[in-house]
Each structure stands twice: as structure tokens, then as C-alpha cells.
Amino acid sequence: MVVEAPIYTIRDAKLSFGLNPLFTGVDLYINRGDKICLVGRNGCGKSTLLKVIAHEIEPDEGEFFIQPGIRIGYMPQEPNLSDYKTLREVVESGLPKSDKNQTYMADRLIEYFDIRADQNPAESSGGECRKAALARALINEPDILLLDEPTNHLDIEAIEKLEDIIQKFTGAVIVISHDRSFLSHVSQTTFWLDRGILRRNNKSFAFFEEWENQVIDQEIIEQKALNKKIAEETEWLHKGVTARRKRNMGRLRRLQQLRAERREQIKMIGSVNMEVETAEQRSKMVIEAKHVYKAFGERQLIKDFSIRIIKGHKLGVVGPNGSGKSTLIKLLTKRLEPDSGFIRIGKNLEEAYFDQNRVTLDPKKTLWKTLCNEGDHIWVRGHFRHVVAYLKDFLFKPDQAQCPVSALSGGEKNRLMLAVALARPSNLLVLDEPTNDLDMDTLDLLQEVLDEYEGTVLIVSHDRDFMDKVATSLLYMKGDGTIYEHVGSYTELLDKLKNKPTAKQNKKPSIKEEPKVRERTKTAKLSYKEQYLLDNLPAEIAKLEEANKAIEVALGNPNLYTDDPQKFDELTSTLAANKEKINELENQWLEIQLKAEEITANGG
């Protein structure tokens, strides 16, 4: 068997900013056809490493080898398009000077991504600019394609087109992204940059969390074996992360409960006049919209839209770029008045707003002063927190507290914006594209914060995995002014939209009626074994939890370890095994419960 030589190799690369090494001893190779995702915490140097590979910056040390004739296409995280008059010029700028007459390549990509070619970049949306930058990176048909956060601002249609391009691309691809679904679909290899070290795993991102936990556990074992204190950074950066992930199942169960409650609310609203509901429901009302209409010129963005949003509802807004998502949010929060219909909001509504453009951050201020202009404590959700401790919650190191905002990466700035927004007293949280540039660990943290948030949340995002885990229901904006509410996950919504009958075969869905699809699910039912497990697993889990309580009481005896070390070890091992078993059974029960709810929702 002949093994083809790598088309690109880096050996022992090192780069420092000032006295702080960003990464050391980096070795990597790229083979033709590799589909690589590059992951790591915000600020760890992912974008910088991609710039090194693209020859945008030079490392302090390192050996490079690239096969002759290899072409590299690179899309930076924040493309500067200020020098171009139109988006067509942006796309064509990717052609080498010798190929400037091959404009048909630009035409093909402009049509594929549906780019508004004659539009000025300064007047274009983030999604339009991102599509033009993508087309520019692709136009020269590179052998190596480097993409830094390519899905930011893209709607789901553009993301799926990009997935298709990458999957069929014959060259090599390295992509940085926070979008778990996207990475799982396009990657076959994972690079993990962690505390200056680059690790490689020849599996897709779908296996990353399992691999990450194995590496961390091995590192802790090695540190213990060396009789060293486990590094504070390892404890803080990773143990909290893995604990949050293990709590995902509990969060999903609560989310399913909220979705069930929302289905009942919609049934009630659909069956009676919205003005004759119980006083209890009225007291929980946050936002009510009735027969809202909004147009700009001849373009109808919102037609005859009605909804009642109840306290605790986490409402996602999804749809193609330009469909009016931001306009809808502005209407619901009274920043914009409708042309007809009315919108009213509940009493004593306190809003916190996450600004995706980060315009509210002062680059000259330190992180400390951004959160706490005076003193050293900040009032957060009912009690005082030291500003450094609060920053630590958002994965900032203590020594970053006195750093200026300008020194932060794009993802770290987003993380700081979240810290600012979530520190404000509020019962309505508006998040406009909160996931852009965030790393996986911060997304886990944000999911946990939103789960614990007792107020109401409005979210605009194209991140499928994030919406699946957070949103109680989704408002889908098709782009023609119609809006309907889907109670369930974003993934389920996309499946329905792909499989639903055409408009000629069936009427368009309204907010009160969702399209009926996948007839085969109507006859589906749980197997005997699944039904048995659904009924009996809770009792088995409860039994293990009671056993663990008894073990914890025994381990609470301060003399046990000295009096009977063997029993101490046995109890500790049993406790760990029981916890692992509980987690396994909870996952099993949740999968069956989700299947049962889907069967019920589809009329089974």
C-alpha cells in the first residue's frame, strides 16, 4: 500500500506575544482530502494558528514544507471588505491576477450562494458579507481551504450549502467553528489546541467530548502519580466543563417539560379567545401580539401575526437571512411599532439585551471596570459577587481582570458581553446571535445559565445544536411574511420543512397548525422492552440514589479512612460506579421518553 506524502507540514512551530507563549512545539501535517476541524477555548490561539498556516503571519520558530503548486484559500474570522464597492468585487478579488478574466467562476458562486452581487459591502448584512468572503476563498479552487468561523451570520440554507461543498471538496479543509452540528457533519479529523499544545485525533468532532475527557483524566492521573498538586487551571478549566455536560440530561428533561407546557398553551389559545383566559395565566403574560402587520415599502415582512409569550418561555426566532427576524424582535420589545395590530408587554418588565455587534463594549476599559466601575463587587441575581469570581464563572483567568477589552479575542468579547448582559437585573433576556465566535465550553456554560434563568428569553440564532438544547419553541419566518410556531427542536423543524408536502398539495401551515408529515410515525409505538424500561427505570435510578445517600453518610465519618481504609476505598468505588450507572440509566430513559413524546406529537 502506497501512502501519499502530506501536501503541507509544520514542525516544531512556536509563537509568543510578548513574554507569553501562545503555542509551542506545534507539529501538524495535512494530507490531500483531509477534513479537519480545529477546536479549543477562546483565546487559545486557533485563529492565529490558522493565520500561520495561511502564511498571514510568521511564527517565531518552525520548519515549513508545502508541495510546489499548492494553492491556499483563506477566509478570516472578520473579513475586511471596506476596500470594495460591491460584493461581486469581493468575490472576484480571490482570483489571481492571471485569471481575472475568468469571471464565470464568480458568477457560478454568486448564484450558488444567492449573493446580492451589486450591493455595497458597507450596506450589506453580516450574512451577505460572509457569503461573499466564502466565495472569495473558494473561487481559486484551492488545494487547502482554511475557514475561520464560516457559519457566523449564515442562515441554515447557506450553512447546508457550505456543508455540501466541504463534503464534496477534493482538497483539504481546516475549519474553526462553534457550531457542533456543522463540525460533526463536515469533519473527519480533529485538531485540539489546548494550553499551547496541539493534539490530533483521527476521528470527527462527533467524538471530541469523549476524547477530551480521556485526555484530561489521563493528565490528572499522571499529575497524581508524580505526587504533584493538580494544577488549578486544569481543575477550573475542565472539571466544571465535564460536570456541566453531565447535567445536560437534566436540562433536556426540563426542556421537554417546558415544550409540553407550551403545546398546551397553544391549544388553549387556539381554542378560545385570547382575551378570556384565567387570571393566573394573565399574570404570567410577558408579551402579547395580535394581528400584527409590518412592511417596509412594498416588502411585507410580517403578516397577521399573533402570539402570547408566557413567563419562563425561551422563544427562538429562526429563518433565512433577510426574513425579518431582527424586525420581529424589535416589534416584540416595542423598539418598533407595527403598521397595524397591537403589541403589549407585561408590567414591570426589565430587559437585558445582548448586542451581537459588541458596540456597548469600551475597548479602553479593563474587564474589571466594564463590569464594576467602582469597588470590587457586583450585584448578580440577588447577591453580591466579587468581580474576579464572576469573571471566573465566564472562564476568564484572574489575571485577565485588569486587561483592556481591546486585548480580547472575538470570542472572549462575546463572552464578556454575556457576562455584562446576565449581570443586569432582568426578567426578559434578548439574545441576538449570542453563539457567534463562542467556544464549546462557553456554549455549555450559556446553556446552563439559560436553563437556570427564571425569566423569559428571546433568541435569534442559526446554531442548530444550541437551539435544540435551549429553545422551548421556535418562530419560523419563511421570508414571505408568514410566521408559525413550532414546539420542539430546531432539528425536528428542519426535517419537517424538508419533508412537508408542497404548497400545491397542501395549504400553508398557520401559527395554529403545523404541517403533518412523515405518515409512518403515526403507526409507530414503543416496543415492549422500551415501555418496560420507561416505566421501571425511574425506580431503579431512585434506588441507586438512595444507596448513594447512605454511602455519603458513611463517608462523612471523619475517622473512617484511618479506622478502615479498605472499607473507605470500597465505598468510594461503589459511589463512583453508582453515579456512572445513574448517568447511563438517565440517558437511556431520556432517549425512550423523547421517542414516546415524538410518537404522541405525531398522533401515534
Side-chain angles (χ1 to χ4, degrees):
M1 178 179 175
V2 178
V3 179
E4 187 177 353
I7 57 176
Y8 193 115
T9 305
I10 297 178
R11 291 193 181 93
D12 202 22
K14 177 181 178 181
L15 181 64
S16 299
F17 289 142
L19 299 175
N20 299 317
L22 194 60
F23 49 77
T24 58
V26 165
D27 294 318
L28 66 85
Y29 60 89
I30 304 169
N31 293 315
R32 195 180 300 275
D34 274 352
K35 302 295 188 293
I36 301 167
C37 66
L38 173 57
V39 300
R41 189 177 301 278
N42 287 145
C44 72
K46 299 188 300 294
S47 294
T48 303
L49 179 57
L50 211 64
K51 288 177 181 177
V52 168
I53 298 170
H55 299 302
E56 293 283 317
I57 61 176
E58 291 293 322
D60 301 329
E61 299 175 14
E63 297 178 9
F64 289 73
F65 172 77
I66 183 168
Q67 285 188 9
I70 293 296
R71 291 172 294 187
I72 297 176
Y74 169 59
M75 192 200 78
Q77 185 175 347
E78 297 182 3
N80 182 4
L81 310 183
S82 59
D83 293 336
Y84 305 99
K85 295 179 181 178
T86 66
L87 293 176
R88 175 179 290 278
E89 287 186 11
V90 174
V91 178
E92 291 180 349
S93 68
L95 285 168
K97 292 180 180 179
S98 59
D99 293 335
K100 288 298 182 183
N101 60 338
Q102 296 186 23
T103 55
Y104 71 91
M105 295 288 292
D107 293 334
R108 192 173 70 182
L109 287 165
I110 286 169
E111 181 181 2
Y112 183 76
F113 281 115
D114 193 22
I115 297 169
R116 297 174 184 175
D118 297 328
Q119 196 162 283
N120 189 314
E123 299 170 357
S124 301
S125 67
E128 286 294 321
C129 291
R130 184 70 52 165
K131 288 190 290 185
L134 270 171
R136 177 173 64 179
L138 287 162
I139 195 170
N140 194 31
E141 297 182 324
D143 301 284
I144 300 175
L145 181 62
L146 308 175
L147 302 175
D148 194 348
E149 295 287 2
T151 63
N152 279 0
H153 307 292
L154 292 187
D155 58 30
I156 192 65
E157 182 181 1
I159 291 172
E160 289 180 339
K161 286 180 177 179
L162 179 59
E163 286 178 358
D164 188 57
I165 284 177
I166 293 175
Q167 288 165 355
K168 295 176 180 177
F169 191 68
T170 57
V173 180
I174 301 182
V175 60
I176 297 171
S177 178
H178 64 271
D179 188 325
R180 284 178 163 94
S181 295
F182 174 73
L183 291 182
S184 296
H185 289 159
V186 302
S187 66
Q188 297 169 350
T189 300
T190 304
F191 285 175
W192 176 24
L193 187 58
D194 177 46
R195 288 165 288 167
I197 300 170
L198 184 70
R199 296 178 173 90
R200 178 184 182 118
N201 186 29
N202 292 320
K203 290 185 179 180
S204 78
F205 176 77
F207 298 91
F208 172 69
E209 288 184 6
E210 176 186 351
W211 174 48
E212 180 190 31
N213 288 335
Q214 289 173 352
V215 171
I216 293 166
D217 289 344
Q218 184 61 36
E219 182 178 296
I220 291 172
I221 290 169
E222 289 173 356
Q223 288 172 332
K224 283 184 175 179
L226 292 171
N227 212 13
K228 291 182 179 179
K229 179 183 177 183
I230 297 174
E232 180 183 351
E233 186 178 8
T234 303
E235 289 278 345
W236 166 53
L237 290 183
H238 297 299
K239 282 202 167 181
V241 170
T242 53
R244 278 196 296 276
R245 286 175 180 160
K246 287 180 180 178
R247 290 196 291 269
N248 278 348
M249 291 299 104
R251 293 209 303 270
L252 282 174
R253 281 195 295 276
R254 286 191 291 274
L255 183 58
Q256 291 300 322
Q257 182 181 352
L258 287 172
R259 285 173 178 166
E261 291 173 3
R262 184 60 185 168
R263 288 190 185 97
E264 292 304 312
Q265 291 164 4
I266 290 175
K267 285 179 184 177
M268 186 171 294
I269 291 171
S271 60
V272 299
N273 189 305
M274 285 202 298
E275 294 179 357
V276 287
E277 295 197 32
T278 65
E280 181 183 1
Q281 287 175 322
R282 186 173 297 280
S283 68
K284 292 182 179 180
M285 194 277 294
V286 177
I287 300 172
E288 182 181 30
K290 293 189 71 174
H291 307 299
V292 171
Y293 176 90
K294 187 66 182 178
F296 291 100
E298 297 182 356
R299 190 176 177 213
Q300 299 178 356
L301 282 180
I302 297 167
K303 296 187 293 188
D304 194 26
F305 172 64
S306 299
I307 193 171
R308 168 166 284 188
I309 301 173
I310 306 299
K311 178 184 176 183
H313 189 189
K314 296 174 176 62
L315 181 67
V317 183
V318 298
N321 285 337
S323 59
K325 298 186 294 295
S326 295
T327 300
L328 179 61
I329 291 293
K330 289 175 182 176
L331 287 167
L332 293 176
T333 55
K334 302 287 281 185
R335 287 178 170 81
L336 193 64
E337 289 298 319
D339 297 336
S340 62
F342 80 87
I343 295 171
R344 68 187 182 97
I345 60 176
K347 294 181 180 179
N348 304 318
L349 205 61
E350 294 184 81
E351 178 191 303
Y353 180 74
F354 175 83
D355 169 29
Q356 65 165 318
N357 296 315
R358 303 190 286 267
V359 293
T360 55
L361 289 180
D362 184 344
K364 296 178 182 179
K365 275 190 172 182
T366 64
L367 278 66
W368 185 306
K369 290 294 184 182
T370 298
L371 283 165
C372 185
N373 207 35
E374 295 181 1
D376 57 6
H377 280 73
I378 182 172
W379 182 259
V380 181
R381 293 190 289 278
H383 60 277
F384 281 106
R385 296 286 309 281
H386 193 282
V387 65
V388 173
Y390 184 63
L391 282 168
K392 205 171 176 183
D393 285 349
F394 287 84
L395 310 179
F396 289 104
K397 298 176 184 177
D399 58 7
Q400 286 182 285
Q402 297 297 347
C403 289
V405 170
S406 60
L408 300 179
S409 68
E412 286 175 318
K413 288 176 183 175
N414 265 17
R415 200 191 302 159
L416 180 60
M417 274 297 308
L418 285 171
V420 171
L422 294 169
R424 292 172 181 155
S426 69
N427 47 31
L428 174 63
L429 184 60
V430 182
L431 302 174
D432 187 4
E433 294 285 2
T435 64
N436 284 352
D437 302 319
L438 294 184
D439 57 37
M440 310 296 174
D441 295 342
T442 310
L443 286 173
D444 286 338
L445 181 144
L446 178 57
Q447 289 167 19
E448 182 164 338
V449 169
L450 293 180
D451 176 64
E452 295 173 352
Y453 185 72
E454 295 180 354
T456 304
V457 185
L458 299 179
I459 316 166
V460 178
S461 178
H462 299 294
D463 189 317
R464 289 159 289 183
D465 184 80
F466 179 76
M467 287 298 226
D468 282 351
K469 293 175 180 175
V470 169
T472 307
S473 65
L474 302 166
L475 291 181
Y476 172 66
M477 304 186 71
K478 185 178 178 181
D480 61 359
T482 59
I483 305 171
Y484 76 90
E485 185 171 3
H486 166 80
V487 183
S489 72
Y490 197 4
T491 300
E492 291 167 349
L493 172 62
L494 293 173
D495 287 340
K496 285 187 176 184
L497 293 172
K498 288 175 183 176
N499 297 310
K500 72 179 180 181
T502 63
K504 292 181 180 179
Q505 295 170 315
N506 200 358
K507 64 181 180 179
K508 293 179 180 179
S510 68
I511 190 168
K512 298 175 186 177
E513 179 182 39
E514 294 183 15
K516 295 179 181 179
V517 296
R518 292 187 284 185
E519 293 293 329
R520 63 179 179 81
T521 61
K522 288 187 176 181
T523 58
K525 62 179 182 179
L526 296 179
S527 68
Y528 175 82
K529 181 179 179 181
E530 286 173 330
Q531 187 62 55
Y532 177 84
L533 291 173
L534 186 66
D535 295 338
N536 291 279
L537 282 179
E540 190 173 345
I541 292 168
K543 186 177 179 181
L544 287 169
E545 288 174 339
E546 284 299 317
N548 277 0
K549 287 180 183 178
I551 293 172
E552 286 168 352
V553 170
L555 290 173
N557 179 359
N559 300 320
L560 178 62
Y561 180 74
T562 53
D563 293 346
D564 193 345
Q566 183 177 351
K567 184 177 180 181
F568 179 88
D569 289 341
E570 288 173 357
L571 289 176
T572 302
S573 299
T574 303
L575 182 66
N578 284 354
K579 287 181 177 179
E580 188 68 29
K581 185 65 175 177
I582 288 170
N583 189 49
E584 178 186 330
L585 295 179
E586 283 183 338
N587 290 348
Q588 189 178 10
W589 180 87
L590 182 62
E591 288 177 5
I592 301 171
Q593 175 67 16
L594 293 177
K595 182 177 178 180
E597 289 180 2
E598 184 178 357
I599 291 170
T600 302
N602 285 282

